Amino acid sequence: MSRRVRPTLRLRLTLLNGVLLVGAGAILVLLAWLLVRDALRPTDELLPGTTVLLSDGGRMDAAEWQRRLVDAASGELLAKGLVALLAISVVGVAGAYAVAGRALRPLHQVTATAQRLGEATLDQRIGYSGADDEVAELAKTFDAMLDRIASAFEAQKRFVANASHELRTPLAVMRTEIDVTLSDDDADAAEYRRMATVVRDASERANSLVDALLVLARSEAQAGRQLGRRTECDLSAGTANALSAMRREVERIGLRVQTSLEPAPVVGDPGLLDRLAGNLIENAVRYNHLHGRLWVRTGTDGERSWLVVGNTGFEVDQADVPGLFEPFRRGGRERTGARGSGLGLSIVRAVCTAHGGTVRVIAQSGGGLEVTVTLPTADAPAVNGAVPGPG
């Protein structure tokens, strides 16, 4: 089967230009032909039967002479006009084909760049430097899209590398403990119990990391989409449960807790919202210091509900706050070996986005952070966008 000619954009533009050019030329030739036939009427005002003297000495009826003159002039005009139309059409179509090719050259650059793109060539750009027209706008848009793709790809590679590192650490601990204990011929029951305790702790850490990764993936998958589960719930209830779960740790390090848990109705996934409150409380306790402070507030103004969690702790520069939302960042430090998976605020931001809310973090002057989560209330539609937090 023969391959069908592909109607490229250049070919379609050329054909369109040719049709318009030939049509306009044909109209001009027709108008000229009609004007000539109407203009060559010199004998219309003569009396019937009038004759004209020809150059050869003969005489001819004026009306017959006029008819022959009009037919000859019209025929010559039509013949020469069609020849001129054909020549102009050929030149015009060829010129249109060349001009269309030159105008569409950046599109070919876009296509060639897209075909070359790969993991190792995401740094390539079109770099169009022609006229500031629609093609230039397309090229700039494509370059901006490549910038976003490259950034997302790098972030994904860092995420995978960090996740692999975090999972490899507890697995390596378990493997080392098991190998060392089994290689010790004098190991007794107490040594095996110690080894089992270490393995259990490492497996719990790995399991917590896997759970956090699943929650993060689930939250990010629902961002900008309709939540798979929407239930009326109260942020204050989930916050109270999170505080209760951390009570022993709070008492161990002697934190002073201040709470003001007013009703904060929202609509969303209860599991994700409970995880949001739990992560904020856990971070506020984990990154606090001995005999520090922890304050928690919830409330609503009818259109938005909020959860505020603040804590004392080591100092954080406000410029470093955006980095806290990156996966595997712990207090602005990457993979420090501190407790936790480093996904707490990443999950908080993903859950907020999935519920059409926002999260704001303010570094405290004396050390520590205050995190404000704002979500639409149960009566307000969930719309993604910037929503100011409470004053």
Side-chain angles (χ1 to χ4, degrees):
M1 181 180 296
S2 60
R3 184 177 180 181
R4 185 170 60 90
V5 178
R6 184 165 62 108
T8 62
L9 180 58
R10 183 180 186 182
L11 179 59
R12 293 199 301 270
L13 289 176
T14 302
L15 292 177
L16 177 61
N17 182 80
V19 169
L20 294 176
L21 183 62
V22 172
I27 292 175
L28 290 177
V29 172
L30 177 61
L31 289 176
W33 181 73
L34 293 175
L35 289 175
V36 168
R37 291 187 66 88
D38 292 339
L40 296 179
R41 299 291 181 178
T43 63
D44 288 349
E45 299 179 359
L46 299 178
L47 295 175
T50 302
T51 60
V52 296
L53 181 64
L54 302 178
S55 59
D56 58 0
R59 286 188 172 274
M60 179 180 295
D61 182 73
E64 177 64 18
W65 174 78
Q66 177 179 270
R67 184 185 65 79
R68 293 184 179 182
L69 177 63
V70 170
D71 290 344
S74 299
E76 184 176 1
L77 175 63
L78 188 60
K80 291 183 179 179
L82 291 176
V83 172
L85 177 61
L86 178 61
I88 292 175
S89 300
V90 172
V91 174
V93 169
Y97 187 79
V99 171
R102 183 177 182 83
L104 296 175
R105 187 176 302 166
L107 297 182
H108 295 299
Q109 295 178 3
V110 172
T111 303
T113 303
Q115 291 174 344
R116 291 194 306 267
L117 284 181
E119 180 179 351
T121 57
L122 281 177
D123 59 333
Q124 296 187 9
R125 299 294 182 269
I126 298 174
Y128 181 72
S129 58
D132 188 13
D133 52 11
E134 290 82 357
V135 176
E137 183 179 2
L138 174 62
K140 292 178 181 177
T141 302
F142 190 81
D143 285 344
M145 181 190 68
L146 290 179
D147 291 337
R148 294 192 297 271
I149 292 176
S151 298
F153 193 81
E154 288 299 320
Q156 184 185 46
K157 287 200 299 184
R158 289 196 304 269
F159 181 85
V160 172
N162 291 336
S164 300
H165 175 87
E166 295 291 333
L167 284 172
R168 188 180 298 115
T169 299
L171 294 177
V173 169
M174 289 187 285
R175 176 71 177 270
T176 301
E177 286 293 329
I178 293 173
D179 288 344
V180 170
T181 304
L182 291 179
S183 63
D184 186 2
D185 296 333
D186 298 328
D188 54 10
E191 184 66 20
Y192 278 101
R193 280 195 297 269
R194 187 200 61 80
M195 181 265 290
T197 301
V198 173
V199 171
R200 183 195 61 189
D201 293 341
S203 65
E204 288 179 353
R205 178 181 175 186
N207 186 68
S208 298
L209 177 61
V210 172
D211 288 343
L213 290 172
L214 291 176
V215 172
L216 180 60
R218 177 185 169 194
S219 303
E220 291 182 339
Q222 296 188 70
R225 297 166 41 190
Q226 187 71 21
L227 285 169
R229 183 183 179 190
R230 294 180 60 84
T231 305
E232 292 189 8
C233 49
D234 195 329
L235 280 178
S236 61
T239 304
N241 293 333
L243 286 170
S244 178
M246 296 295 294
R247 185 177 66 253
R248 290 187 178 180
E249 186 68 12
V250 168
E251 294 174 352
R252 186 184 68 83
I253 60 179
L255 296 182
R256 288 173 294 158
V257 180
Q258 299 173 335
T259 60
S260 177
L261 302 182
E262 300 294 333
V266 294
V267 173
D269 188 316
L272 293 180
L273 293 173
D274 287 346
R275 189 59 180 265
L276 178 148
N279 282 0
L280 290 178
I281 300 298
E282 289 174 10
N283 280 354
V285 174
R286 179 175 295 126
Y287 296 108
N288 218 312
H289 53 67
L290 289 174
H291 309 297
R293 291 192 306 116
L294 168 65
W295 59 96
V296 183
R297 301 192 304 271
T298 60
T300 182
D301 61 4
E303 294 184 357
R304 57 201 175 108
S305 296
W306 59 77
L307 165 62
V308 179
V309 178
N311 65 281
T312 53
F314 58 85
E315 293 188 6
V316 178
D317 194 325
Q318 187 65 36
D320 296 333
V321 165
L324 300 178
F325 291 96
E326 296 299 322
F328 304 104
R329 291 274 179 163
R330 303 186 180 96
R333 298 164 293 178
E334 188 169 3
R335 294 204 309 267
T336 60
R339 292 174 296 171
S341 62
L343 296 173
L345 287 181
S346 299
I347 293 175
V348 168
R349 180 176 60 180
V351 173
C352 286
T353 303
H355 287 77
T358 58
V359 56
R360 183 179 63 187
V361 179
I362 299 177
Q364 303 298 296
S365 58
L369 300 172
E370 182 177 85
V371 183
T372 302
V373 170
T374 307
L375 299 175
T377 63
D379 298 327
V383 179
N384 287 335
V387 182

